[in-house]
Amino acid sequence: ELVIPPEINGLITGEGSSLFLVNDTSGDGSAITNIVVPTFVSADIDNDANTFTVIMDVTNNVNYTFVLNTFRTDVKTTRDNYQLVTVNLVNPPVTLTPGGTSRVTIVGAWNQDAENYVVQNYASASTINVQLENTTIDVNGITVTLSQPIAIDVPLSLEG
């Protein structure tokens, strides 16, 4: 059985790679930072259904309402581009009101072949390097598909 530990929190809150925070590395304050700030709530794995669920509370820090209609991405291994998981937003749309906080849930689903692949190729690994590809986000009816993959190191452990 594949177990993804709580360190996934760092991926969501911006420790290392993040989909949600914009880092101002210029030092001149020209970048808009922390437009929306996610706070990790929980993560759960359903091994019988081959799914994981991540729940976040997302705070909107600008005076504009965002409506998240779609979030979808494929998770593939960086080493050989093997498709592991597809991740989707649950119960869209999610409305982020100015200054408000909304609960956002995403679910990832994998098949038995993907689980076997990870067990066979990463049994002794403490992390797996993956890329988020074909990432599509629809906010307020504007759909963006990211042209470049997002690289993430995911901590993992294998049990059973």
Side-chain angles (χ1 to χ4, degrees), residues 36-155:
V36 293
V37 178
T39 302
F40 177 79
V41 175
S42 67
D44 185 51
I45 296 173
D46 182 340
N47 285 307
D48 294 331
N50 287 353
T51 61
F52 67 85
T53 302
V54 176
I55 299 172
M56 300 167 279
D57 282 339
V58 179
T59 301
N60 178 0
N61 288 324
V62 296
N63 192 23
Y64 185 79
T65 299
F66 295 106
V67 178
L68 179 60
N69 296 305
T70 303
F71 176 84
R72 184 200 176 288
T73 192
D74 296 323
V75 181
K76 298 181 179 182
T77 60
T78 302
R79 182 171 67 194
D80 55 10
N81 209 37
Y82 189 89
Q83 171 79 34
L84 296 175
V85 177
T86 299
V87 177
N88 288 289
L89 176 67
V90 176
N91 298 322
V94 177
T95 301
L96 304 169
T97 58
T101 299
S102 299
R103 183 135 302 170
V104 175
T105 303
I106 59 169
V107 170
W110 68 90
N111 62 31
Q112 190 60 50
D113 289 340
E115 184 172 332
N116 292 342
Y117 175 85
V118 170
V119 169
Q120 292 169 3
N121 291 280
Y122 295 92
S124 62
S126 60
T127 62
I128 182 171
N129 300 1
V130 299
Q131 295 189 121
L132 306 183
E133 296 185 1
N134 306 314
T135 302
T136 301
I137 303 167
D138 175 328
V139 176
N140 293 13
I142 300 170
T143 302
V144 175
T145 300
L146 302 182
S147 61
Q148 296 296 316
I150 300 168
I152 298 175
D153 294 331
V154 178

